[in-house]
Every structure is written in C-alpha cells, then in structure tokens.
C-alpha cells in the first residue's frame, strides 16, 4: 500500500496546481473547494481595482468578497481557457456599477432632503501614499470619469491586455484603447512635471 | 508636454501597449530615437504605469486570511435569503425612516416606490442574491454587461451548505498548521451541525455576550475537532475570554492557539493575549 496522505492535503495540492479554468469548472459543478484557491491567486488584483473604483473605502473588503461569491455562482459562464483575473475584474466592475447607481439614487434623495451625501473617499492610510505625488496621482485617478478609470485600472494597474479588458467589460477593444488613451492623457496633464 | 503634436504619438502608445506588428514596431522604435516628443511620451507612459502600480496598497497576510475565511464562511451559509441579516437590518433601519420621511414630506408616491428598496451604497449590492444576473441593462453605458451575463440567468443557486469548508483547512496551505483531523467521513448531518454551532458562537460574540460565546466556541472545538474553523474558534475564544475579563483563561486559550498554530494567521494577536 502506498504511503497514506491526508485527503485534504492532496486536494489542496491539486488545487494549487490547477489552472484557473479547472478551478472555475469545479465551481460550476457545485464544488466550492476551488474558491479559496482562486481567492489566494487573485484577491490582491480585485482589491487594488476596488480600492480605486469605490467611493467609500470601507466598502472595499465587502466588494472583494462579493466579487468572489458572484464569480463562484457565475462559474458556469467562465470561458474555458480564459484567465481568471479578467473575469473577476469584470464581475467587480459590474458590481461597482450597480452600487454606483444605487448610491447615485440615494444621493439624489438625500440632497433633495437637504442632507449631505456620504463623505468622499478618504485617502488610504498607506505609507506609500504619504508621498505627495502618489497622493496627487490618487486624486487624479479618482477624478477620472468612471469608464476611464475602469479601463486604466484594469490595464495599467491590473496588467490585463486591452483585449482582456474589452472582454471583461464587454466593450469593443477599440473602445478600450480610446478610453485608455484619454485616461492617460488626462493623468499626464494632471501629473505634469511630476512624472519621472 | 502632454498634448503630443507628433502624428506618430498614437503609434508610440500602441507600441507601449504591445499591439504593433513587427514591422510597425521596428519603425516606431526607430522614430523614437529621433523624436524627442515621442520619447518623452513613452517615458511618461512608463512612469505613469509604474506609479500607478506602486501606489497600490498591500494587504497583510493576516487580513488576507481573515478575508479568505470570511468568504468561505459566506459560501457555507444555508441560503441566500439568510446571507446578510445584519446588513439587511442596517439597510432596513436606515432606509425605512428615510422613505417614510420622504413620503411624508416631498416625494410623490411613484418616487417613493423607486427609492424604497435602495439601501445605502455600503449595503445595497451585498443584499441582492444574484447581482450579475439581475442587473438591469438600462445602464448609462449600454455596452457594459457582466462577463457571462447572458449565461447567468439560469445560474444555479450556490450549493447549500458547502461541504468544502469542512473538508479543507482554509489556511493550511499558507502556514501548514498542525490541525487535529477528524475522520474525513463526517456525514452531511454533522457538517451542517458544525456550521450551526459555529454560527451560534459567532452570533453570541457579535452581540457582546462574551461569556456565552466562550462556552460555545469551546464546545465547538471539542465537538468538531476536524473542522477547518477550529483555528478561528480557539483564537476567538481567547478574545472572548479576554473581553469577558477572564484574563487567566484568555491567556491559556491564547497559548493553546499558539501551540497548535505556531504559524497561524492570528499569532500576533494571540501572543499579545498570551502576554508573551
């Protein structure tokens, strides 16, 4: 008899070696085992994206969790052979759009009632962001139009290719390139003399 | 210099994005050597991308493990309807008075109907079961849809309660914790009982009933020794005991945690409680 291994140890190893497609396939068949592995692989990217897309930084952890939960339920629609990150960022982008619509409605209501809306996103208390230029960049990114921010965060921060970002956002690649160009031009303008 | 006047600026950006063919790439690279404006553009694009990437905040391993556990715990919830009782409650508490106020003061009935189901941004998306599938397409940006939105309408509900969380230690790969394993043949009945027990302990903890929580957590650890949440339970029992003012017992629990999980996700906090 071969040396016995703990069943979950070999399972964890198997998961660690599985491709993103295999993880999604498992989830599509109702096995949520691969979800933890998928989280380990991609949570940092989803988080980085959410941090800059959301109005309220307190929502980030919640959105990251929701992204993975939604992805696990939508696993059947994952395209075989694709990478997991574009799919997850696409889910996150959609969830953020939903929140944004709701937030806009709430804000309209509160304004109509003479109340101040929720406070704007505070600057994250990250050491790196203490640097003036990083703060400036952060503010500049926050001021980008939503659709521009989505694209530049996916490509320049998330490392997605333009085609992957187009797929994730269900927009034509040409639209991605155009938005990316406009977003970069705006950031360059705002960050003038501070680059390099 | 931002508004590039050189007519090859677009090619430079395309080069940066890696979407040029070999011949265009060669000619654009050659152009870069002679055009200072385009060379500056390329430098700007590069440093912009570097700055954007470097200012991304990082999450500590501890927060990572917490978030992971929270996610897996969420998948183990029995049904979507019970998913976020607290969030729903808060949403209700905030929304209802506002809606009542609004209807009493200035909104037409139609307007109020539209407002009523809208909780604050912090909770709205999380209180819907299938955000992707149910997303209205009347978005400001029609071209936007979730990846796979077309296919998700018939998406199955998440398998209730997931057996995964019971089978695999969620943090085992990260720190090889020595976990006491139960026989892997635990029946579905036992599995859901573990979830119920754990949820009860958490509920007591979240309502500030530390004494009851400590008892429930201790019972959980003894009743379900192979459960992946045992690590969390031992740690939380130390916290519950500490909050309950029973520092000696809290120290014992924290030490027990540190012995069982020397590399555990909560070792820093546990060391603090243990007073080491």
């Amino acid at each position: 008899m071969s040396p016995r291994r703990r069943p979950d140890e070999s399972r964890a190893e198997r998961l660690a070696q599985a491709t993103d497609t295999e993880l999604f396939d498992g989830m599509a068949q109702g096995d949520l085992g691969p979800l933890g592995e998928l989280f380990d692989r991609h949570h940092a990217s989803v988080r980085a994206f959410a941090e800059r897309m959301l109005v309220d930084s307190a929502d980030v952890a919640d959105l990251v969790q929701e992204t993975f939960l939604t992805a696990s339920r939508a696993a059947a629609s994952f395209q075989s052979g694709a990478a997991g990150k574009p799919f997850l960022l696409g889910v996150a982008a959609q969830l953020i759009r939903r929140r944004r619509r709701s937030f806009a409605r709430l804000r309209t209501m509160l304004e109509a009632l003479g109340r101040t809306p929720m406070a704007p996103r505070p600057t994250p208390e990250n050491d790196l962001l203490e640097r003036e230029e990083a703060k400036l960049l952060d503010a500049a990114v926050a001021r980008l139009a939503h659709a521009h921010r989505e694209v530049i965060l996916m490509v320049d921060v998330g490392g997605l290719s333009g085609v992957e970002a187009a797929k994730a956002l269900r927009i034509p690649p040409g639209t991605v390139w155009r938005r990316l160009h406009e977003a970069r031009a705006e950031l360059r303008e705002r960050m003038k003399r501070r680059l390099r | 210099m931002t508004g590039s006047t050189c007519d090859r600026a677009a090619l430079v950006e395309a080069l940066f994005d890696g979407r040029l063919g070999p011949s265009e790439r060669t000619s654009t690279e050659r152009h870069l050597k002679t055009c200072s404006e385009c060379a500056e553009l390329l430098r700007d694009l590069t440093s912009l991308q570097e700055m954007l990437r470097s200012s991304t905040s990082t999450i500590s391993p501890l927060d990572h493990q917490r978030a992971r556990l929270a996610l897996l715990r969420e998948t183990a919830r029995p049904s979507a309807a019970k998913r976020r009782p607290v969030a729903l409650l808060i949403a209700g508490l905030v929304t209802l008075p506002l809606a009542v106020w609004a209807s009493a003061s200035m909104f037409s009935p139609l307007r109020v109907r539209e407002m009523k189901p809208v909780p604050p941004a912090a909770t709205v998306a999380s209180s819907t079961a299938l955000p992707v599938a149910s997303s209205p397409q009347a978005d400001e940006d029609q071209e936007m849809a979730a990846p796979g939105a077309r296919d998700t309408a018939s998406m199955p509900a998440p398998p209730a309660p997931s057996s995964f969380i019971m089978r695999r230690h969620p943090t085992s790969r990260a720190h090889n914790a020595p976990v006491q394993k139960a026989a892997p043949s635990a029946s579905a009945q036992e599995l859901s009982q573990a979830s119920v027990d754990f949820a009860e302990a958490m509920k007591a903890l979240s309502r500030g009933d530390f004494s009851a929580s400590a008892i429930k957590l201790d019972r959980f650890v003894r009743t379900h020794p192979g459960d992946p949440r045992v690590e969390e339970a031992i740690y939380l029992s130390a916290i519950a005991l500490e909050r309950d003012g029973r520092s000696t017992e809290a120290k014992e629990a924290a030490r027990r945690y540190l012995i069982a999980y020397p590399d555990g996700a909560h070792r820093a906090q546990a060391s603090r409680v243990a007073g080491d």
Side-chain angles (χ1 to χ4, degrees), chain A residues 174-190:
Chain A
T175 309
V176 169
W177 297 128
R178 180 177 51 74
R179 288 183 187 171
L180 196 57
H181 169 73
E182 287 165 0
R184 284 167 177 165
E186 192 177 328
L187 289 184
R188 282 180 77 210
E189 177 65 39
R190 290 193 194 283

Side-chain angles (χ1 to χ4, degrees), chain A residues 6-8 11-13 15-16 28 30-37 39-40 43-44 47-48 51-52 56 59 62 65-66 68-70 72-77 86-87 90-91 93-95 97-103 105-106 108-110 112-113 115 118 124 126 128-129 131 133-134 137-138 141 146-147 150 152-153 155-159 167-172 175 177 179-181 184-185 187-189 191-192 194-196, chain B residues 1-4 13 16-17 19 37 40-41 43-45 47-49 51-59 64-65 67-72 74-76 80 83-84 95 98-99 101-102 105-107 111 114-115 118-132 134-141 143-152 155-159 162-164 166-170 172-173 177 179 181 184:
Chain A
R6 288 201 312 233
D8 21 333
R11 178 176 164 81
E13 277 167 23
L15 285 173
D31 176 13
L32 289 176
L35 185 58
E37 175 63 29
F39 182 79
D40 289 346
H43 81 103
R47 196 182 161 79
E51 272 175 349
R52 286 220 170 104
D56 189 343
D59 293 347
D62 196 40
Q65 184 185 82
E66 204 187 343
F68 282 92
L69 282 177
T70 306
S72 73
R73 293 187 200 116
S77 63
F87 184 85
V91 170
Q94 178 67 19
L95 293 172
R97 289 198 158 232
R98 278 178 64 82
R99 285 185 181 209
R100 213 166 135 258
R101 281 195 297 272
S102 312
F103 180 72
R105 266 177 286 175
L106 181 76
T108 313
M109 183 173 81
L110 290 173
L113 295 168
R115 285 283 194 84
M118 272 170 238
N126 185 306
L128 287 159
L129 289 181
R131 287 169 18 223
E133 59 175 21
L137 180 64
D138 204 41
V141 171
H146 187 94
E150 246 171 15
I152 200 165
L153 290 181
V155 177
D156 277 352
V157 182
K167 226 179 219 171
L169 293 166
R170 298 259 155 176
I171 56 179
T175 309
W177 297 128
R179 288 183 187 171
L180 196 57
H181 169 73
R184 284 167 177 165
L187 289 184
R188 282 180 77 210
E189 177 65 39
M191 297 297 291
K192 221 191 288 190
R194 292 190 180 264
L195 293 173
R196 281 175 298 278
Chain B
M1 177 92 204
T2 52
S4 302
E13 194 165 346
F16 177 73
D17 287 322
R19 55 192 159 102
E37 197 185 320
E40 190 184 338
L41 171 65
R43 273 200 307 275
D44 276 7
L45 291 175
S47 59
L48 193 60
Q49 190 176 67
M51 279 175 69
L52 278 167
R53 284 189 185 169
S54 70
S55 70
T56 302
S57 72
T58 50
I59 179 171
H64 172 189
Q65 290 306 329
R68 190 187 205 274
L69 194 70
L71 171 69
L72 299 179
E74 196 72 12
T75 60
R83 265 180 63 228
R84 290 185 166 264
T95 317
L98 279 174
W101 183 18
S105 54
M106 54 190 75
F107 286 95
R111 188 82 176 132
E114 189 195 327
M115 293 302 171
V118 182
T123 53
V124 59
S126 53
S127 59
T128 47
L130 294 173
V132 171
S134 61
S135 169
Q137 286 309 298
D139 193 8
E140 62 191 55
D141 203 340
E143 56 201 354
M144 174 71 197
R150 286 175 305 207
D151 316 18
T152 50
M155 217 149 63
S162 159
S163 54
F164 152 63
M166 314 302 157
R167 272 188 273 124
R168 186 187 159 195
H169 192 291
S172 60
R173 213 166 54 80
V179 195
K181 292 284 167 192

Side-chain angles (χ1 to χ4, degrees), chain B residues 17-267:
Chain B
D17 287 322
R19 55 192 159 102
L20 289 186
S23 65
E24 270 184 319
R25 197 169 60 214
T26 314
S27 70
T28 307
E29 277 166 351
R30 204 180 303 128
H31 169 72
L32 275 167
K33 285 179 185 149
T34 54
C35 178
S36 63
E37 197 185 320
C38 284
E40 190 184 338
L41 171 65
L42 186 65
R43 273 200 307 275
D44 276 7
L45 291 175
T46 310
S47 59
L48 193 60
Q49 190 176 67
E50 277 168 9
M51 279 175 69
L52 278 167
R53 284 189 185 169
S54 70
S55 70
T56 302
S57 72
T58 50
I59 179 171
S60 71
L62 177 63
D63 285 339
H64 172 189
Q65 290 306 329
R66 277 198 186 132
R68 190 187 205 274
L69 194 70
L71 171 69
L72 299 179
R73 219 184 264 152
E74 196 72 12
T75 60
R77 296 277 176 105
S79 77
K82 290 184 189 165
R83 265 180 63 228
R84 290 185 166 264
V86 179
L88 283 174
L89 184 67
I90 294 167
L93 287 175
V94 174
T95 317
L96 192 67
L98 279 174
V100 170
W101 183 18
S103 68
S105 54
M106 54 190 75
F107 286 95
S108 71
L110 181 71
R111 188 82 176 132
V112 174
R113 257 209 310 281
E114 189 195 327
M115 293 302 171
K116 225 170 182 173
V118 182
T123 53
V124 59
S126 53
S127 59
T128 47
L130 294 173
V132 171
S134 61
S135 169
Q137 286 309 298
D139 193 8
E140 62 191 55
D141 203 340
Q142 265 289 342
E143 56 201 354
M144 174 71 197
R150 286 175 305 207
D151 316 18
T152 50
S154 58
M155 217 149 63
S162 159
S163 54
F164 152 63
I165 191 161
M166 314 302 157
R167 272 188 273 124
R168 186 187 159 195
H169 192 291
T171 53
S172 60
R173 213 166 54 80
H175 50 74
N176 299 317
V179 195
Q180 318 92 296
K181 292 284 167 192
S185 59
S187 72
Q189 190 65 42
E190 285 171 53
L191 295 178
S192 61
Q193 188 56 45
S195 281
V196 169
D197 290 353
F198 192 76
E200 274 181 11
M202 297 305 288
K203 228 185 281 169
L205 192 63
S206 63
R207 67 168 180 262
D209 190 347
F210 300 118
S211 157
S213 178
I215 293 168
K216 285 176 200 290
L217 285 165
D218 185 51
R219 196 182 305 146
F220 176 85
V221 172
R222 280 183 287 113
T223 318
H224 312 285
D227 190 278
R229 290 164 293 195
V230 161
E231 178 184 349
E232 193 78 357
I234 298 177
Y235 166 72
L236 288 174
S237 77
I239 298 296
L241 288 165
E242 190 192 35
R243 296 276 167 84
D244 202 34
R246 290 144 72 185
S247 57
T248 315
E249 288 164 86
K251 276 181 188 162
E252 275 170 26
R255 288 199 187 114
R256 210 172 333 135
Y257 174 88
L258 289 167
I259 290 165
Y261 306 98
D263 302 316
H266 304 297
R267 61 183 183 277

